Amino acid sequence: MFSPLIAPSILSADFARLGEEVDAVLNAGADIIHFDVMDNHYVQNLSFGPMICSALRKYGVTADIDVHLMVSPVDDLIERFADAGASMISFHPEASLHVDRSLALVKDKGCKVGLALNPATPLSVLDHVLHKLDYVLVMSVNPGFGGQTFIEHSIEKIKALKSRIDKAGLNVRIEVDGGVKLDNVKAVRQAGADMFVAGSAIFNTENYQHTIKEFKRLIS
Ligand code: DX5
Ligand code: ZN
């Protein structure tokens, strides 16, 4: 059983004070830092590139950086984010012409590897690669923006994924991303998730310490 991890998404952070914001959530008890990388091609929004990862490493961030690539193609940015200090890299299977090769590239670059599944993407995309993954990122919103509403059928999908991982005897984490809040995180945890991305639910609150403590209480 994996220990539950809180992964604040910097998409909702104050970018004018990004280093301080990352320090603040880590000091408040966050476990890893989630990067929502968007390219205005695979998704409509445009966020940030590898230089932000390098800058935070140079600034002194030592926590794991969990890069969620909502980009297409993926291979070049896999290499650049790995070189910039990423610890974990996930991408959407629809965004790579050769998923198995892109997965191998993440591993070859020394990062943990995950596949990010959109709400309409079936678990069957994992059929030939689940055993190669360190984690699966279940999108509980459609990718592109923070602050959206949690898609309720994600709970059933997480349960089905957890059952599949357990039946196969695999050590694969389940990360959930999108609309995760204090009022639904317990159900998400009970469904089988163990990594929780939260952007607006953390960065839009006054007291990160209190918010993250509450998240940890609910998922422990
Ligand atoms: C969607 C993004 C968001 C973000 C989380 O593309 O991946 O899910 O990280 O945003 P909140 O926690 O504000 O829904
Ligand atoms: Zn994300």
Side-chain angles (χ1 to χ4, degrees), residues 9 36 38 68 70 139 141 143-148 177-179 197-200:
S9 163
D36 278 310
M38 302 174 182
H68 170 197
M70 288 166 274
M139 292 299 293
V141 295
F145 297 91
Q148 300 179 78
D177 181 354
V197 176
S200 49

Side-chain angles (χ1 to χ4, degrees), residues 72-220:
S72 181
V74 299
D75 289 358
D76 177 47
L77 280 171
I78 285 173
E79 296 203 70
R80 289 165 57 194
F81 266 100
D83 293 342
S87 318
M88 315 160 49
I89 299 176
S90 60
F91 60 89
H92 291 251
E94 300 89 342
S96 170
L97 288 176
H98 301 284
V99 172
D100 188 74
R101 184 181 289 142
S102 298
L103 293 174
L105 179 58
V106 174
K107 298 299 277 185
D108 292 349
K109 295 294 287 182
C111 295
K112 289 198 171 134
V113 66
L115 277 180
L117 307 188
N118 284 331
T121 304
L123 295 181
S124 57
V125 296
L126 301 171
D127 283 358
H128 305 290
V129 293
L130 183 58
H131 62 287
K132 298 184 175 190
L133 303 181
D134 296 296
Y135 61 105
V136 177
L137 194 162
V138 176
M139 292 299 293
S140 35
V141 295
N142 286 295
F145 297 91
Q148 300 179 78
T149 304
F150 184 87
I151 296 174
E152 288 305 325
H153 81 65
S154 311
I155 295 286
E156 291 316 305
K157 191 171 185 180
I158 296 162
K159 284 180 184 167
L161 174 57
K162 179 66 176 149
S163 152
R164 182 165 172 177
I165 289 169
D166 290 350
K167 275 202 189 93
L170 296 172
N171 266 330
V172 178
R173 277 185 172 269
I174 299 176
E175 183 171 29
V176 183
D177 181 354
V180 175
K181 309 285 182 203
L182 291 174
D183 64 7
N184 61 28
V185 73
K186 198 174 176 97
V188 175
R189 173 72 171 147
Q190 287 167 343
D194 54 71
M195 284 198 290
F196 305 87
V197 176
S200 49
I202 292 175
F203 286 108
N204 290 1
T205 61
E206 282 305 306
N207 184 322
Y208 298 161
Q209 191 97 31
H210 171 75
T211 306
I212 292 174
K213 196 161 171 239
E214 192 54 12
F215 263 114
K216 293 214 157 204
R217 183 183 68 80
L218 290 163
I219 61 177
S220 58

